[in-house]
Amino acid sequence: YYRAAHSLVHELRAHETNMLEIKTMAGFISYKICRLCFQHNTPLDAIAQFRKHIDLCKKKIGSAELAFEHSAWMSKQFQSFGELFDEAIKLGLTAIQTQNPGFYYQQAACYSQDRKQMAQQLCQAGMTYPSPDPLDTQSGGLDFYGQRPWRQGHQSIDPTDPEKEKMGILALQIKERDVPHSELIIALLSNAVAQFKKYKCPRMKSHLMVQMGEEYYHAKDYTKALKLLDYVMCDYRTERWWPLLTAILTTALRCAYLMANVKDYIIYCMELLGRASTLKEEQKSRIEKNLFKVLMNKVPEAESECDPSSVSAARSLWSDRTALSGSNELTVEMQDYIPFIQCKARFQSPSFHVDQPIQLQVFLRADCPHPVSFSKLTVSLSNQEYNQWCVAESSGEESMTLLPGKPKRYNFSFVAKTEDVGKKVEMTGVEMMLGSDSGRCVFLSWRGAGGDTAYTQEALQASRSSRRWGRGTEARQELDWDSLTLQHSTMIISRVPKICVQLSHQPPALTNEMYCIILTVQSQEEAVAKDVKLTAGLKPGQEAGLGQTTHVTLDGSSVCDDNQPALLTDLPLGDLKPGEKLEKCVYMRCVSTGPRVFLFHVAYSIDTAVEGRHIVCKCHKDETVSVETVVPFEVSVKFVSTKFEPLERVAVDIPFLLMTDILSSSPWPLLLSSSSLQLLTITSNTAQLQSQLQQVVLQTGESASECFCLRCPPGTNSNNTVATGQYVISWRRKSSSADGPLIQTTATLPHVILESVPLYVYADLPSFGRVRESLPVRYHIDNRTAQVQEVEIAVDPSDAFMFSGLKQVHLRVLPGTEQQMLYNYYPLMAGYQTLPQLNISLPHCPTSSSPALRRFLPQRIFVKPQGRQPDDASITAA
């Protein structure tokens, strides 16, 4: 029904007399339709209905003399729809950036601005309100919405009384003059800004805030106007919208002038004179003259397009400002603006030696139409003691001047303090003073090394341009401003040492040896190097475990213990005269293998002069060397029987052999001084153990072996694993000095498993036999138990021998006693031959087998061929 009503309303014949009534009714009905669409969660239908409604009504202006009424009605339509939209969002509707209530509030504000302009054109001042009041009705109200008060009950299209019609229009125009248009516009813009902020539309928000500021300016609320404009200027500076920024700055300058706000007026003048301003040269010249009038404490000329009544009040305020004796000093932070004076400061180098003067340059350039004079330039540094050397002041009546567009350089230098070595000196600010004490002083302050809001982007463009086309600075005579970069800090480093430090050594290092590194220091200074100190050892910052396995000492006469540190610090070496040389041997003991980096730090003091100032410089030179530590040799140990057969178990009180093998893996020759055994449970089978490796030299890959005959003493608990002891080797490099310390390397011998045997059978026989010659063999049968042992022995024949003796025998052996059996073997064949085997059995000891009992007996023997007897023929032939 509402849609039908809306269609029927627009089918009515429209004329100037009923146009307002038709629009009013259409507005009511459209409002109802849109509200129902939002309530039924069909926002697209609501938007479509509203657009249709606006399209049908926007050209129904009505009387030209009351055109402002149409703009007011259009503004109200957009405002009402925006409120409906916002209410629906609060109830759960989702909006997007491109479709939110802010656009409707913005359009409402635009129609309100049109209403204001039309009211200014149509509503002339000086007109008196007609009497009687044509807007007054007898009943106090209207019969129908949208009807004119002076047309009550009149249905004709043509007006009944033209004079009455004219008076009614005049009354509406006079009432329109009293409407606070700016307040209405500002309220609508404020609602739009809130919506665009909510939906993250920063540029729309900034654009509308500019309009709000301008509206406040027209409403003569200059404080709020300046606050809004100043807020949005930051965005336009960052995004480099120069024409927009210029327009905003122009409005802000008018506000500052009309308020007689000295500081803001100076700031906006400076920015309008700068490179970001798009004003013409004539306008810039006028602004620059006004700026220097303010600096001379004079009243500036009025800004263009200002309200004449406000200008007279502003001149009075400016006169009061100039009459004040105090508050003539102002500080302006230039980093937040794009001023007409650019500043770039830099240290000439990222670092300076302490014996060099620190060079500092400040570059200034003026972008205004006329020369600029200033009276003082100062640079503030992180160490305030240097600030006194970074001041430039005008001398006498001469002032420092900047020509338009031409950079000017100011040089400063100072001598660093020796206690600042290793520290960074930074610029904290650059300050420039405009004006004079007799007028008004304005301090232009740059944080750090200068630059402004636009500097970062300009520096990026300059770097890209230089990479694309090449710098070509060699061919340029003039200073290229865009290529100048900021260098806000420099490092003070120690004086360049004039000493020669050399390291001599023979890598790699061997584990546990006293590795010698010879340090040679020679002075190339022109004066005496005083208080020379050495720090030597493991370089800090490496693996944590290396500190516990590395030991450093200066004493090479003995092997250092584990209490020696990994780094020796501040070892005094005395003074060094010019050209003098000294040597120092530093010994490193590395317990573990792997790479290590050793540091040799030589520090000294020397007297020098810098720009006439006497200073004591501390110099140092570092040398590092990487040394790999390797194992000198590998030790292998094994236990064998007297027949050199591997042993898994060692029989108690029966001799066996210990075989050691030392394989050299050192790239350098090794001298094995001696070796020794430190036995625990096991004892030597010989009267005295003697090293077989005394003064043996091993080359790379060579090996040395030793053999020791050992025995486990009787009474040792059998069937247990016991520790054997240690094998100690004394060695050193062959190239080291003869009186150097010997390194003791200890190898732990493996544990052995003991066993006891009831019967020990061994044989005495010659080392070799001869074919067809008697070979006596005596067998010993030793009872190692506390019981009488019955022994059955049988001899197995062999094809290589004939023998005489008991082939089979049964005997008893008393405890701790020994029985002997003698056999004569008669070899029949030469070479290695298998001896006749004894099969031994113990009937009362079934755990002992024949192979176990005869394992100590020899199995083979070498038989030589039979020798021939010499005869006379052979002698004659010989």
Side-chain angles (χ1 to χ4, degrees), residues 94-254:
T94 303
I96 57 176
Q97 274 189 338
T98 56
Q99 194 63 262
N100 64 74
F103 290 102
Y104 299 97
Y105 286 125
Q106 179 194 8
Q107 198 62 35
C110 290
Y111 278 109
S112 290
Q113 290 171 342
D114 292 342
R115 176 188 181 183
K116 177 182 175 182
Q117 292 177 359
M118 291 179 184
Q120 290 173 351
Q121 294 173 3
L122 298 174
C123 306
Q124 299 178 2
M127 302 292 290
T128 58
Y129 195 82
S131 180
D133 188 358
L135 304 181
D136 189 18
T137 59
Q138 295 179 358
S139 61
L142 298 175
D143 295 338
F144 298 99
Y145 289 113
Q147 289 186 340
R148 300 296 185 186
W150 61 87
R151 293 188 196 147
Q152 292 292 302
H154 181 70
Q155 300 297 327
S156 175
I157 292 177
D158 297 328
T160 56
D161 187 354
E163 185 63 28
K164 199 172 186 180
E165 189 80 17
K166 185 178 179 181
M167 289 298 105
I169 291 174
L170 178 61
L172 290 175
Q173 289 177 343
I174 292 174
K175 278 186 171 291
E176 184 68 19
R177 284 190 320 206
D178 298 334
V179 174
H181 296 100
S182 294
E183 293 182 10
L184 297 176
I185 296 169
I186 289 170
L188 292 171
L189 289 174
S190 179
N191 290 338
V193 167
Q195 294 294 329
F196 286 122
K197 182 179 179 180
K198 177 180 178 181
Y199 293 100
K200 295 179 175 59
C201 306
R203 287 184 175 174
M204 286 297 298
K205 184 188 77 170
S206 300
H207 171 60
L208 297 181
M209 289 181 73
V210 171
Q211 293 184 3
M212 286 179 64
E214 291 176 346
E215 204 57 47
Y216 275 122
Y217 167 74
H218 294 307
K220 298 184 180 181
D221 192 345
Y222 303 121
T223 303
K224 292 182 179 178
L226 205 57
K227 184 178 180 181
L228 281 170
L229 295 176
D230 189 59
Y231 178 83
V232 296
M233 274 190 277
C234 299
D235 298 332
Y236 289 106
R237 287 190 194 100
T238 305
E239 298 187 7
R240 303 170 65 82
W241 296 99
W242 304 141
L244 298 177
L245 179 63
T246 303
I248 298 170
L249 284 169
T250 304
T251 306
L253 183 64
R254 295 190 190 117

Side-chain angles (χ1 to χ4, degrees), residues 528-565:
V528 177
K530 300 179 180 178
D531 195 19
V532 182
K533 292 184 178 180
L534 170 65
T535 296
L538 192 68
K539 185 178 180 180
Q542 301 183 67
E543 295 180 12
L546 293 179
Q548 284 75 37
T549 59
T550 306
H551 309 286
V552 184
T553 182
L554 297 179
D555 183 12
S557 60
S558 61
V559 178
C560 62
D561 54 17
D562 294 342
N563 295 324
Q564 288 294 120

Side-chain angles (χ1 to χ4, degrees), residues 220-453:
K220 298 184 180 181
D221 192 345
Y222 303 121
T223 303
K224 292 182 179 178
L226 205 57
K227 184 178 180 181
L228 281 170
L229 295 176
D230 189 59
Y231 178 83
V232 296
M233 274 190 277
C234 299
D235 298 332
Y236 289 106
R237 287 190 194 100
T238 305
E239 298 187 7
R240 303 170 65 82
W241 296 99
W242 304 141
L244 298 177
L245 179 63
T246 303
I248 298 170
L249 284 169
T250 304
T251 306
L253 183 64
R254 295 190 190 117
C255 293
Y257 172 78
L258 294 174
M259 293 170 59
N261 189 326
V262 178
K263 183 174 181 179
D264 288 342
Y265 185 81
I266 291 173
I267 290 172
Y268 300 138
C269 283
M270 289 181 178
E271 201 159 5
L272 283 170
L273 291 173
R275 62 193 185 281
S277 173
T278 59
L279 294 178
K280 297 179 180 179
E281 289 298 315
E282 300 81 15
Q283 294 173 301
K284 287 187 176 182
S285 297
R286 181 185 61 80
I287 292 174
E288 187 175 359
K289 291 177 182 178
N290 278 344
L291 173 61
F292 284 105
K293 280 187 178 181
V294 174
L295 292 178
M296 291 186 289
N297 209 16
K298 295 180 181 180
V299 179
E301 295 180 3
E303 294 299 319
S304 60
E305 301 181 11
C306 286
D307 184 50
S309 60
S310 301
V311 169
S312 59
R315 284 176 178 165
S316 175
L317 290 173
W318 277 105
S319 299
D320 295 341
R321 295 283 190 275
T322 56
L324 294 174
S325 58
S327 68
N328 284 338
E329 290 188 0
L330 298 173
T331 300
V332 181
E333 291 289 340
M334 309 302 285
Q335 231 88 13
D336 304 328
Y337 309 101
I338 308 176
F340 74 113
I341 294 179
Q342 297 184 64
C343 171
K344 293 182 180 181
R346 66 178 185 182
F347 289 99
Q348 285 192 354
S349 174
S351 61
F352 288 91
H353 294 284
V354 70
D355 60 335
Q356 295 175 334
I358 297 178
Q359 302 291 333
L360 174 65
Q361 295 177 329
V362 178
F363 299 90
L364 299 174
R365 190 176 83 166
D367 298 321
C368 52
H370 304 290
V372 179
S373 298
F374 62 98
S375 53
K376 190 175 182 182
L377 178 66
T378 60
V379 180
S380 301
L381 301 172
S382 54
N383 189 338
Q384 298 182 1
E385 296 182 12
Y386 300 139
N387 291 351
Q388 57 182 323
W389 308 105
C390 301
V391 179
E393 292 185 277
S394 58
S395 57
E397 297 181 357
E398 295 183 2
S399 61
M400 298 180 285
T401 304
L402 297 177
L403 299 178
K406 293 188 176 181
K408 194 167 185 179
R409 179 177 61 194
Y410 293 90
N411 296 320
F412 303 98
S413 69
F414 57 90
V415 179
K417 297 181 177 295
T418 55
E419 53 266 26
D420 285 342
V421 172
K423 297 180 182 178
K424 187 179 287 188
V425 177
E426 297 181 348
M427 296 186 206
T428 57
V430 180
E431 195 171 77
M432 175 182 178
M433 189 177 82
L434 292 178
S436 60
D437 296 333
S438 59
R440 182 175 275 113
C441 294
V442 178
F443 294 94
L444 310 184
S445 177
W446 288 270
R447 296 187 296 272
D452 51 38
T453 304

